[in-house]
Amino acid sequence: MMSTGPTPIDPRGPRTNQAVLAMALLVGFLADWRAVVPIFAVVLFLGAAFGPRYGPVLRFYAEVVKPRLGPPAELEDPRPPRFAAAVGVVFLVASAVAFLAGAPGLGWGLALVVAALAGLAAVTGVCVGCEVYLWLARLRGRPLTPAASP
Amino acid sequence: MIVRLVVVLAVVGLVVAVRVALDRRRRWSAEEALPGARFPAWVTEGADRTWVVFTTPYCASCGPIVEHLAVADPRARVVAVDASHDPGLARDFGVRRAPTVFEADGRGNPLRRFSGADAVREAVPA
């Protein structure tokens, strides 16, 4: 039954990514340091587009944090969190464009939406972008390919 | 600066509030009384006891739980029910997450319910 599709991942990797992203955006907002938005747009983009090996936080988790932890209790399909990260990139790029266009209120508003959703995912495991991915997959009526067993 | 601090605290407070609400709901779900529904014959027929594992296609921990139950409790039958293919059955049994696992008797009556892979492994060790 579970023999095709991408290899399941340790969900603590994306959770770490989301926690760092939320913290960075909130601290950046507090200090009005707008550069944090494009920087983390790039950080998210690298992981979403090229995989965890290229995402700085994901790689830090895999190489530094994970070896010090036990095995994960559960694994998850990598596609929904990658989609969620891609949505985050879109929001952060829009935020950066808003800053450049002289609309800092809109820019920080978009960044805070990303921070709130990333924080929510990191703290509760509820990933809104992942749910959107599943909803879209159902809406398109595509046969859903299960993730492979480890 | 004060306004920014209030906004940050509001975001953090919102996240914490959602976490607390979810924890309460999960506890309720795990302790929830078994629904009155009975599993259809195709699920439990031919076995004295059946583990019914509600799965979804994107649930990476569901396959390992099915395999775990087959090894840990070889006397029982293990049936995986894809909730996305059989939403009516999942709805009848109040399934909100995957894996949700029921132990059922030979007549399809649910005996025990577990939500999440950890709860199953804890209750049915290898």
Side-chain angles (χ1 to χ4, degrees), chain B residues 30-88:
Chain B
E31 296 163 359
E32 186 178 29
L34 292 171
R38 181 185 281 191
F39 287 105
W42 67 265
V43 175
T44 56
E45 68 183 352
D48 290 336
R49 270 188 316 114
T50 301
W51 290 104
V52 185
V53 183
F54 282 94
T55 70
T56 59
Y58 286 96
C59 169
S61 58
C62 289
I65 277 299
V66 170
E67 291 164 15
H68 169 81
L69 286 170
V71 172
D73 190 5
R75 291 184 178 178
R77 185 183 182 203
V78 183
V79 176
V81 177
D82 187 331
S84 65
H85 289 162
D86 206 338

Side-chain angles (χ1 to χ4, degrees), chain A residues 73-74, chain B residues 61-62 65 68 97-101 115-122:
Chain A
E74 297 184 35
Chain B
S61 58
C62 289
I65 277 299
H68 169 81
R97 64 176 293 198
T100 292
V101 177
S115 292
D118 285 350
V120 178
R121 286 200 177 90
E122 195 176 309

Side-chain angles (χ1 to χ4, degrees), chain A residues 1-2 8 26 29-30 32 73-77 79-80 108 112 116 119-120 123-124 126 133-134 137 144 146-147 149, chain B residues 1 4-5 7-8 11-12 15 18-19 22 26 55-64 67 80 84 97 116-118 121:
Chain A
M1 177 186 165
M2 304 254 173
L26 289 177
F29 172 71
L30 209 52
D32 197 16
E74 297 184 35
L75 301 173
E76 73 177 9
D77 190 301
R79 291 168 288 187
W108 279 125
L112 287 175
L120 190 70
V123 172
T124 69
V126 173
Y133 179 86
L134 298 177
L144 303 177
S149 296
Chain B
M1 185 67 177
R4 287 178 184 272
L5 192 58
V7 170
V8 168
V11 170
V12 172
V15 169
V18 172
R19 171 65 193 245
L22 282 174
R26 280 172 185 154
T55 70
T56 59
Y58 286 96
C59 169
S61 58
C62 289
E67 291 164 15
S84 65
R97 64 176 293 198
D118 285 350
R121 286 200 177 90

Side-chain angles (χ1 to χ4, degrees), chain A residues 23-39:
Chain A
M23 293 286 293
L25 290 176
L26 289 177
V27 170
F29 172 71
L30 209 52
D32 197 16
W33 187 52
R34 298 174 190 182
V36 73
V37 171
I39 288 173

